[in-house]
Amino acid sequence: MNIYRTHKLGDLRAENIGEMVTLSGWVATKRDLGGLTFIDLRDREGVTQIVVPQDATKEMKDIISKIRSEYVIKVSGEVKERFSKNNNMATGDVEVFITSIEILNKSEILPFEISDDANVNENLRLKYRYLDIRRPSMMNNIRKRHDMMMAIRNYMDTNTFVEVDTPILTKSTPEGARDFLVPSRMNEGKFYALPQSPQLFKQLLMIGGIERYYQLAKCFRDEDLRADRQLEFLQLDIEMSFVTMDDVMEYVEGLTKTVFKKVTGKKANYSFEKMPYHEAMSRFGSDKPDVRFGIELKDLTPMMKDCGFKAFSGVANSGGIVNAIVAPGQATNFSRKVLGDLETYVKTYFKAKGLAWVKVTEDGINSPIAKFLSEKEIATLLSTTEAKVGDVILILADKAKVVYGGLGALRLKFGKELGLINEDDFKFLWVVDFPMYEWSEEEERYKAQHHPFTSIKKEDMEMFLAGDQMDKVRTNSYDIVLNGFEIGGGSTRIHNPEVQEKVFQQLGLTEAEVKEKFGFFVEAFKYGAPPHGGLAFGIDRWLMVMLNQASIRDVIPFPVTNKGQCLMTEAPGNVDTAQLKELLLESTFKENK
Amino acid sequence: MNIYRTHKLGDLRAENIGEMVTLSGWVATKRDLGGLTFIDLRDREGVTQIVVPQDATKEMKDIISKIRSEYVIKVSGEVKERFSKNNNMATGDVEVFITSIEILNKSEILPFEISDDANVNENLRLKYRYLDIRRPSMMNNIRKRHDMMMAIRNYMDTNTFVEVDTPILTKSTPEGARDFLVPSRMNEGKFYALPQSPQLFKQLLMIGGIERYYQLAKCFRDEDLRADRQLEFLQLDIEMSFVTMDDVMEYVEGLTKTVFKKVTGKKANYSFEKMPYHEAMSRFGSDKPDVRFGIELKDLTPMMKDCGFKAFSGVANSGGIVNAIVAPGQATNFSRKVLGDLETYVKTYFKAKGLAWVKVTEDGINSPIAKFLSEKEIATLLSTTEAKVGDVILILADKAKVVYGGLGALRLKFGKELGLINEDDFKFLWVVDFPMYEWSEEEERYKAQHHPFTSIKKEDMEMFLAGDQMDKVRTNSYDIVLNGFEIGGGSTRIHNPEVQEKVFQQLGLTEAEVKEKFGFFVEAFKYGAPPHGGLAFGIDRWLMVMLNQASIRDVIPFPVTNKGQCLMTEAPGNVDTAQLKELLLESTFKENK
């Protein structure tokens, strides 16, 4: 029998009236009222009202007088019907009249109040994370994270996936970001790398015959941090053998629905749409579209080829595109100032050269470019964009990348700022068939968009082997998107060593480079690799979206700041020169004096 | 529908006869027999016999002729009753006569055979780990590891423990071993440390009100490796609030039984004995006794105080102890040579000064020290040790540490070598109440045996506060032992800041040292820390013992050698000087030319 409690603080109900109970927890509030003292006692499961009776002993009253917020106490007493019931509390029908009390531990005054209402500076919260997680919202986030991980594990286990934990102290993986290095003491001059993902290991497990693998793996990237990135992150890693991409997507869709139900309590009762990459780009200007609202991009390229506005016809005739989106009902709201700000925005972030606008009024269109357009062109513009009176049409003409980037961003902006998104709505979507290559302006060559083990679509294989129209070659790849966030992605892999060799060649990798970069991995494929494919989810972001949290840090138990610092432990820290010496290292860092 | 298979290769039974099936897998064997070709096709779930009929097309026969072991193939055909049934195979009642065959991937000749019978060099196995795990025993070990992890998670989830993943990039924890360091690029001159355990985090989670926490955590120690150690290891980490040590042990015992049943299929239908540390030492010479067999240590100290053998009486009268164990029925087998080897053994490994022996014969005792003992002393010796005719009594006289170490080791040696242990037997045991301090000969002072947060037994608190008889002060601590292996251990913690301060003082830590080492952690205890305690299991060793494996490496998917090298990936590896420069580091390592 537990000496600290007979019940949790969310347990007691009317049917417990008359019982003698022992309770322990934190003092949330203490207030005196007409000779009685009331304490709201809190634990993980709830709050129970404790009453110190008027006729309590002096000894008890002395103890009570010392108690302050966040003291840890143990009390015993009788459950009674509450005088004024509180319907907002699960235990609101009862209160406990105590006959004994013990202070288990004291508490100094906290640096901030344990409440979701208090607006606490985030750095202070992170410094005292152990107090921050006493707040109901953070406690909920952490418990939902547990629920999510457990739902994943149950689903994977039920579907005969084998959890395999792969090494943290390992070798560089070819993921493109910077590795964290760990000097080896036993192997002089050598370094381990922390994994950016278990990609190579999971494919080797397929060659090893594991057939279905999963892992909730800690992964690491030494990148400068943005709002939704961390140096270390939790990845759900999945790989399957003897599958096509449809098989993988079927299992993953089932998983996604199960997890969604567990975390949000809601159902996603529909087959997730599978949208080809090119469609996603041309309709939404994004490979991770938020499909909870409309405002799709409309292609004006054909109609602008012969128009009188040179900025449009020039682009349309030289391989660029002219696209439009509609801001519904904003003709009055979008002043010259607002329109100017929107133009500055697409110029600054997407290198657009300008943003044309057309207001649709009762009397026809109002636009600086109206004079360049024929009546027929104006009619086509209105019918193509389906713009109505009171709408504003915004037009970009440029390389596809600029147009999609700029209009895709404006679309999201309007979705949020014009209240077109129902924040309680969740919409999943597959984006599939990503291109194999992306043109790198910097390096002036095609680069693999995903890692170089992604398999190529059968239909595009001839094109690929011919080295022709490389930007049209598509892969068996798929991203899963939720409300405009990419929460996971993967592909089926090349399992045939000869095809892999061809891909390396097309990527411009020499045999020596392949051996140096992927030596042991490429060798493994000589010994009977099965067809296989998989996917990885970013747990932190996925959970953040499901819980509608603004920051990824709010769903991570102990996150770092965007300088990579843990404000609680003060990691990273200094180390002794002696420790470095043992690792055969010297620091060249000079403190600024 | 999956295009690769309608069934797994362990699925087909007599009731499937007549069905058309599609199967994929690896070619285990291929043999020609009277015009028919038989292929044993293998996947994760089993083996199915494939038959290529005599009347197969030339095209099919051509493909068959190319197939070698470990090729990955896909076949379709009809399930038929097997001509000569094989009772050793789950699918032994049937065979599949194929009508189509496709080579999915080829295989070169493997560096070793996929078989548990092949005696393969371990380094070769580790280099080709992805082939090694195709062997049934390794595949079984990896799947049992999954089963174990899942059983743990289900138990913890059912009992409302919350899984919380704590950081890998963190700060040194005070566990005593060397930390792995990770240079921070964003914080110049600073380093993260990889955690030796999540000890501080789990205690902070208790202060945060999580109440029940668990995690399967990767932990790291940069120590020189012995046979059953790895640089990184998987730890089941548990912590609970509002508990005594009995509460923790109750939950953990339930967990242990559940996991044991899942992994071994056997039941541990008994309450685990709780043996105080001092009893374990005096009866078995070990704090992790293998209680599957007898041969306990017997204390001869009182009777030897006045005996004529100075080596015994001297020790017995100066604070040392004289103990004996009996090697049953070995009077004939233990020649002078054998006895000499045993003496060398205890001298070499335990710094014993000598090992006395007494053979019990029909005609009384035979021993070099017989002449020093009176008849009464011999009678007491025989009755105390309960030695019978044909037995050999072995006696050590020295400091307790030497005697327990030496006789404890001899006991285990006899247990194994004399066949006293049933290897199919499993015996769990709690060892409890470890001493707070251990005398450090090197530093000539008492040191905390566990970490300095371990709580002290109420009964011994006075002794502790008085600074008296420090070696007698016991803690609320517990190890769980299976077949002589410590598989887990923990304690309830000090939750009161004033007591913690006293412990630091007694350990000789100054206020400045405490602040430097544990600053933020000690501060956290000021804000209402609940009573709490926990435990950590070493997953790898625990699984190794349950699966009766000789090496911890056989239950770890991708282990390193005892030089800390992964023979497959060749981690650790070299890094560019440029990479180090970015981290403000220079290597002082000079290659031997």
Side-chain angles (χ1 to χ4, degrees):
Chain A
M1 221 203 59
N2 186 297
I3 60 167
Y4 291 105
R5 52 189 176 194
T6 54
H7 296 77
K8 306 287 176 66
L9 296 173
D11 285 350
L12 296 177
R13 296 288 183 278
E15 56 261 37
N16 299 103
I17 289 167
E19 287 178 25
M20 295 301 295
V21 299
T22 299
L23 306 172
S24 288
W26 286 264
V27 173
T29 60
K30 183 182 97 170
R31 53 197 191 284
D32 292 309
L33 216 74
L36 295 172
T37 303
F38 294 89
I39 292 173
D40 271 355
L41 198 59
R42 186 195 69 233
D43 71 4
R44 193 181 81 171
E45 306 300 347
V47 172
T48 299
Q49 178 159 289
I50 304 303
V51 187
V52 185
Q54 236 161 343
D55 60 356
T57 60
K58 178 167 181 312
E59 203 188 335
M60 247 179 86
K61 284 186 173 165
D62 281 350
I63 295 176
I64 299 290
S65 71
K66 286 183 199 146
I67 287 175
R68 291 202 304 248
S69 282
E70 300 306 314
Y71 270 44
V72 187
I73 63 170
K74 171 184 161 184
V75 297
S76 292
E78 190 185 340
V79 184
K80 299 202 176 181
E81 186 171 2
R82 190 149 160 179
F83 182 70
S84 56
K85 301 212 165 68
N86 182 343
N87 293 325
N88 298 321
M89 282 169 76
T91 61
D93 284 349
V94 298
E95 54 196 5
V96 176
F97 275 69
I98 61 170
T99 50
S100 80
I101 187 163
E102 184 187 339
I103 294 176
L104 298 174
N105 220 348
K106 292 186 281 189
S107 174
E108 294 187 1
I109 291 170
L110 264 54
F112 52 82
E113 199 190 331
I114 304 301
S115 157
D116 282 338
D117 303 328
N119 186 11
V120 186
N121 172 284
E122 195 190 8
N123 282 358
L124 198 64
R125 286 176 50 207
L126 291 177
K127 178 173 179 185
Y128 296 98
R129 189 59 150 186
Y130 50 88
L131 300 178
D132 189 37
I133 60 180
R134 286 189 195 163
R135 296 190 309 120
S137 60
M138 274 304 298
M139 180 61 76
N140 181 60
N141 288 355
I142 288 179
R143 298 189 76 172
K144 288 288 186 189
R145 189 177 173 99
H146 163 90
D147 290 345
M148 179 182 187
M149 293 194 279
M150 200 63 208
I152 289 169
R153 290 185 162 120
N154 280 327
Y155 183 91
M156 301 315 278
D157 183 56
T158 303
N159 287 289
T160 73
F161 285 78
V162 178
E163 180 180 1
V164 182
D165 54 310
T166 56
I168 300 286
L169 291 173
T170 183
K171 221 181 171 184
S172 296
T173 37
E175 302 279 330
R178 263 193 215 86
D179 288 317
F180 278 103
L181 298 180
V182 185
S184 166
R185 186 180 50 85
M186 283 198 280
N187 299 275
E188 300 192 336
K190 306 222 172 196
F191 293 77
Y192 300 96
L194 304 183
Q196 294 186 37
S197 93
Q199 183 68 34
L200 301 189
F201 286 104
K202 72 175 174 177
Q203 293 196 240
L204 292 168
L205 286 169
M206 294 305 106
I207 296 174
I210 293 290
E211 297 193 25
R212 292 187 177 189
Y213 144 89
Y214 92 98
Q215 183 185 190
L216 280 162
K218 278 283 172 90
C219 302
F220 306 84
R221 292 179 184 214
D222 188 8
E223 297 284 275
D224 300 318
L225 300 180
R226 299 189 316 242
D228 66 342
R229 282 279 180 90
Q230 289 272 299
L231 298 175
E232 69 176 273
F233 53 98
L234 194 62
Q235 175 166 310
L236 168 58
D237 203 41
I238 296 174
E239 198 78 8
M240 302 174 77
S241 292
F242 301 114
V243 288
T244 58
M245 83 185 237
D246 282 334
D247 298 316
V248 178
M249 289 161 82
E250 189 186 316
Y251 277 99
V252 169
E253 190 165 317
L255 166 72
T256 309
K257 288 176 179 177
T258 305
V259 171
F260 180 68
K261 177 76 173 61
K262 182 77 183 176
V263 173
T264 67
K266 298 177 184 179
K267 281 188 182 173
N269 267 335
Y270 52 93
S271 283
F272 300 175
E273 185 183 351
K274 292 176 187 171
M275 189 183 289
Y277 168 84
H278 284 295
E279 182 185 337
M281 293 306 288
S282 61
R283 286 178 57 195
F284 301 98
S286 168
D287 60 358
K288 44 178 194 283
D290 187 336
V291 291
R292 290 177 297 173
F293 67 103
I295 317 192
E296 298 190 12
L297 277 61
K298 302 293 176 184
D299 190 15
L300 309 178
T301 318
M303 67 160 281
M304 293 303 181
K305 283 201 169 157
D306 304 315
C307 81
F309 188 49
K310 291 283 169 280
F312 287 177
S313 59
V315 166
N317 286 307
S318 60
I321 61 172
V322 185
N323 273 14
I325 61 168
V326 169
Q330 300 305 311
T332 318
N333 294 339
F334 282 11
S335 62
R336 294 269 165 161
K337 164 85 174 64
V338 171
L339 291 163
D341 288 349
L342 293 176
E343 181 166 44
T344 306
Y345 175 72
V346 292
K347 278 179 164 176
T348 309
Y349 292 103
F350 302 96
K351 297 182 184 164
K353 290 177 201 78
L355 178 70
W357 56 265
V358 176
K359 290 187 179 180
V360 187
T361 69
E362 299 279 358
D363 312 317
I365 67 165
N366 165 10
S367 167
I369 64 166
K371 55 179 179 263
F372 301 110
L373 301 175
S374 69
E375 273 197 26
K376 199 182 148 209
E377 280 161 351
I378 290 172
T380 311
L381 171 66
L382 293 177
S383 68
T384 307
T385 58
E386 298 172 45
K388 285 183 282 295
V389 170
D391 292 351
V392 182
I393 305 168
L394 296 149
I395 309 174
L396 274 184
D398 213 308
K399 281 179 291 190
K401 197 177 173 178
V402 173
V403 171
Y404 291 152
L407 292 185
L410 286 184
R411 177 182 176 268
L412 281 183
K413 208 174 161 66
F414 297 161
K416 275 172 208 150
E417 295 175 4
L418 307 181
L420 305 175
I421 300 172
N422 174 0
E423 292 292 345
D424 293 332
D425 197 14
F426 290 91
K427 200 77 184 175
F428 289 95
L429 174 78
W430 285 108
V431 176
V432 301
D433 301 348
F434 282 75
M436 178 73 183
Y437 299 106
E438 203 173 30
W439 179 256
S440 165
E441 304 256 351
E442 279 169 44
E443 301 182 36
E444 294 198 329
R445 66 180 182 95
Y446 282 108
K447 288 180 74 173
Q449 214 189 15
H450 286 64
H451 50 67
F453 316 123
T454 305
S455 74
I456 293 162
K457 290 198 101 62
K458 226 175 190 172
E459 312 89 278
D460 297 352
M461 200 60 187
E462 216 168 296
M463 211 151 60
F464 167 73
L465 290 175
D468 214 26
Q469 293 184 281
M470 291 299 266
D471 53 330
K472 293 239 163 67
V473 175
R474 295 163 305 161
T475 54
N476 294 305
S477 53
Y478 33 82
D479 275 3
I480 187 159
V481 174
L482 173 57
N483 291 1
F485 289 88
E486 178 209 327
I487 59 172
S491 64
T492 61
R493 327 296 183 184
I494 299 166
H495 65 278
N496 183 303
E498 287 114 49
V499 176
Q500 185 68 67
E501 205 175 305
K502 284 271 185 335
V503 171
F504 285 141
Q505 278 170 14
Q506 290 285 20
L507 288 172
L509 288 166
T510 66
E511 223 168 292
E513 282 170 328
V514 169
K515 205 179 150 91
E516 163 68 22
K517 272 192 164 171
F518 312 111
F520 81 98
F521 185 66
V522 169
E523 194 193 350
F525 280 79
K526 293 179 186 161
Y527 301 112
H532 63 285
L535 179 133
F537 279 96
I539 290 290
D540 307 315
R541 200 190 297 170
W542 182 8
L543 181 59
M544 177 188 83
V545 179
M546 285 193 295
L547 293 179
N548 251 324
Q549 297 289 302
S551 162
I552 209 166
R553 290 185 296 275
D554 283 341
V555 300
I556 297 174
F558 297 99
V560 293
T561 65
N562 59 10
K563 283 187 182 145
Q565 296 167 343
C566 172
L567 300 180
M568 186 181 75
T569 62
E570 295 182 344
N574 297 315
V575 302
D576 291 346
T577 317
Q579 262 180 292
L580 291 186
K581 204 170 173 183
E582 206 176 22
L583 299 169
L584 304 184
L585 288 174
E586 273 170 13
S587 174
T588 62
F589 173 65
K590 302 265 182 298
E591 198 97 40
N592 285 326
K593 306 260 163 148
Chain B
M1 220 202 59
N2 186 296
I3 61 166
Y4 291 106
R5 52 189 177 193
T6 54
H7 296 76
K8 307 285 176 66
L9 296 173
D11 285 350
L12 297 177
R13 296 289 183 277
E15 55 262 35
N16 299 103
I17 290 168
E19 288 177 24
M20 294 303 295
V21 297
T22 298
L23 306 173
S24 289
W26 286 264
V27 173
T29 61
K30 182 181 97 170
R31 51 197 193 284
D32 293 308
L33 215 76
L36 295 172
T37 302
F38 294 88
I39 291 173
D40 272 354
L41 197 60
R42 186 195 70 234
D43 71 5
R44 194 181 81 171
E45 307 300 347
V47 171
T48 299
Q49 178 160 290
I50 305 303
V51 187
V52 186
Q54 237 161 343
D55 60 357
T57 60
K58 181 171 179 306
E59 203 189 336
M60 245 178 88
K61 283 185 173 167
D62 280 352
I63 295 176
I64 298 291
S65 72
K66 285 181 200 148
I67 288 175
R68 290 201 306 245
S69 283
E70 300 305 315
Y71 269 45
V72 187
I73 63 171
K74 171 183 162 184
V75 297
S76 292
E78 189 185 341
V79 184
K80 298 202 175 183
E81 185 171 3
R82 191 150 161 178
F83 182 69
S84 56
K85 299 211 166 67
N86 181 343
N87 292 326
N88 297 323
M89 282 167 77
T91 62
D93 284 350
V94 299
E95 53 196 7
V96 176
F97 275 68
I98 62 170
T99 50
S100 81
I101 186 163
E102 184 188 340
I103 295 177
L104 298 175
N105 220 348
K106 293 186 281 189
S107 174
E108 294 188 2
I109 291 170
L110 265 52
F112 51 82
E113 199 190 329
I114 304 301
S115 157
D116 282 338
D117 302 330
N119 186 10
V120 186
N121 171 284
E122 195 192 9
N123 282 357
L124 199 63
R125 286 176 50 208
L126 291 177
K127 178 172 179 185
Y128 297 98
R129 189 59 150 188
Y130 50 87
L131 299 177
D132 189 37
I133 60 179
R134 286 189 194 163
R135 297 191 307 119
S137 60
M138 273 305 298
M139 180 62 76
N140 181 60
N141 288 356
I142 287 179
R143 297 189 75 172
K144 288 289 185 191
R145 189 178 173 97
H146 163 89
D147 290 345
M148 179 181 186
M149 293 194 278
M150 201 62 209
I152 288 169
R153 291 186 162 120
N154 279 326
Y155 183 91
M156 300 314 279
D157 183 56
T158 303
N159 287 287
T160 72
F161 285 79
V162 177
E163 180 180 1
V164 182
D165 54 311
T166 56
I168 300 286
L169 291 173
T170 184
K171 220 182 171 182
S172 297
T173 36
E175 301 278 330
R178 261 193 217 86
D179 288 318
F180 279 103
L181 298 181
V182 184
S184 166
R185 186 179 52 84
M186 283 198 281
N187 299 275
E188 300 193 335
K190 306 223 171 194
F191 293 78
Y192 301 96
L194 303 183
Q196 294 185 37
S197 93
Q199 183 68 35
L200 300 189
F201 286 103
K202 72 176 174 177
Q203 292 195 241
L204 292 169
L205 285 168
M206 294 305 106
I207 295 174
I210 293 290
E211 296 193 28
R212 293 187 175 189
Y213 144 91
Y214 93 97
Q215 183 184 192
L216 280 162
K218 278 283 173 88
C219 302
F220 305 84
R221 290 178 184 216
D222 188 9
E223 297 284 273
D224 300 318
L225 299 179
R226 299 189 316 242
D228 65 341
R229 282 278 178 92
Q230 290 272 300
L231 297 177
E232 69 177 272
F233 53 98
L234 193 63
Q235 175 167 310
L236 168 58
D237 203 40
I238 296 174
E239 198 77 8
M240 303 174 76
S241 291
F242 302 112
V243 289
T244 59
M245 83 185 237
D246 283 334
D247 297 316
V248 178
M249 289 161 83
E250 189 186 316
Y251 276 99
V252 170
E253 191 165 317
L255 166 73
T256 309
K257 288 176 179 176
T258 304
V259 170
F260 181 69
K261 177 75 173 60
K262 181 76 184 178
V263 172
T264 67
K266 296 176 186 180
K267 281 188 183 171
N269 266 336
Y270 52 92
S271 283
F272 300 175
E273 186 183 349
K274 292 176 187 172
M275 190 183 288
Y277 169 85
H278 285 295
E279 182 185 337
M281 293 306 288
S282 62
R283 285 178 57 195
F284 300 98
S286 169
D287 60 357
K288 44 177 193 282
D290 187 338
V291 291
R292 290 177 297 172
F293 68 103
I295 316 192
E296 297 190 13
L297 277 60
K298 301 294 175 182
D299 189 14
L300 309 178
T301 317
M303 66 161 283
M304 291 304 183
K305 284 201 167 156
D306 304 313
C307 81
F309 188 49
K310 291 284 170 281
F312 286 179
S313 59
V315 165
N317 287 308
S318 61
I321 61 172
V322 186
N323 274 13
I325 60 167
V326 170
Q330 300 304 313
T332 318
N333 293 340
F334 281 11
S335 61
R336 294 269 166 161
K337 165 87 173 61
V338 171
L339 290 163
D341 288 348
L342 293 177
E343 181 166 41
T344 306
Y345 175 72
V346 292
K347 278 179 164 176
T348 309
Y349 293 103
F350 302 95
K351 297 182 184 165
K353 291 178 198 77
L355 178 71
W357 56 265
V358 176
K359 289 185 179 182
V360 187
T361 70
E362 297 279 1
D363 312 320
I365 68 164
N366 165 10
S367 168
I369 63 164
K371 56 178 177 270
F372 300 110
L373 300 176
S374 69
E375 273 195 29
K376 200 183 148 210
E377 282 161 351
I378 291 172
T380 311
L381 172 66
L382 292 177
S383 67
T384 307
T385 59
E386 298 174 45
K388 286 183 280 293
V389 169
D391 291 351
V392 182
I393 305 168
L394 296 149
I395 308 172
L396 275 185
D398 213 310
K399 281 179 292 193
K401 195 177 174 176
V402 174
V403 172
Y404 290 152
L407 292 186
L410 286 184
R411 176 182 176 268
L412 281 183
K413 206 174 162 68
F414 297 161
K416 275 172 207 148
E417 294 175 4
L418 307 181
L420 304 176
I421 300 173
N422 174 1
E423 292 292 345
D424 293 331
D425 198 12
F426 290 91
K427 201 79 186 173
F428 289 95
L429 174 79
W430 286 109
V431 176
V432 300
D433 301 346
F434 283 74
M436 178 74 184
Y437 298 106
E438 205 173 29
W439 179 255
S440 165
E441 304 256 351
E442 279 169 44
E443 301 182 35
E444 293 197 329
R445 67 180 181 95
Y446 284 107
K447 289 181 72 173
Q449 215 190 15
H450 286 63
H451 50 67
F453 317 121
T454 305
S455 73
I456 292 162
K457 289 197 103 62
K458 226 176 192 171
E459 312 90 278
D460 298 353
M461 200 61 187
E462 215 168 297
M463 211 150 61
F464 166 73
L465 290 176
D468 212 27
Q469 293 185 281
M470 291 298 267
D471 53 331
K472 294 238 163 67
V473 175
R474 294 162 307 159
T475 55
N476 294 307
S477 52
Y478 33 81
D479 277 3
I480 187 158
V481 175
L482 173 58
N483 292 0
F485 289 88
E486 179 209 325
I487 58 171
S491 63
T492 60
R493 328 296 182 184
I494 299 167
H495 64 279
N496 183 303
E498 286 113 50
V499 175
Q500 185 67 67
E501 205 177 304
K502 285 271 186 330
V503 170
F504 286 140
Q505 278 170 13
Q506 289 286 18
L507 287 172
L509 288 166
T510 66
E511 224 168 291
E513 282 170 329
V514 168
K515 205 180 150 95
E516 163 69 22
K517 274 191 165 173
F518 312 112
F520 80 97
F521 185 65
V522 168
E523 193 194 349
F525 280 79
K526 293 179 186 161
Y527 302 111
H532 62 285
L535 179 133
F537 279 97
I539 289 290
D540 307 315
R541 200 191 294 170
W542 182 9
L543 182 59
M544 177 188 84
V545 179
M546 285 193 294
L547 294 178
N548 251 324
Q549 298 289 302
S551 162
I552 209 165
R553 289 185 295 275
D554 284 341
V555 299
I556 296 175
F558 297 98
V560 294
T561 65
N562 59 10
K563 283 187 182 142
Q565 296 167 342
C566 171
L567 300 180
M568 187 180 76
T569 61
E570 294 182 345
N574 298 315
V575 302
D576 291 346
T577 316
Q579 263 179 292
L580 291 186
K581 205 170 171 184
E582 206 175 21
L583 300 169
L584 305 185
L585 288 174
E586 272 170 13
S587 175
T588 62
F589 173 65
K590 302 265 181 298
E591 198 98 41
N592 285 327
K593 305 261 165 149

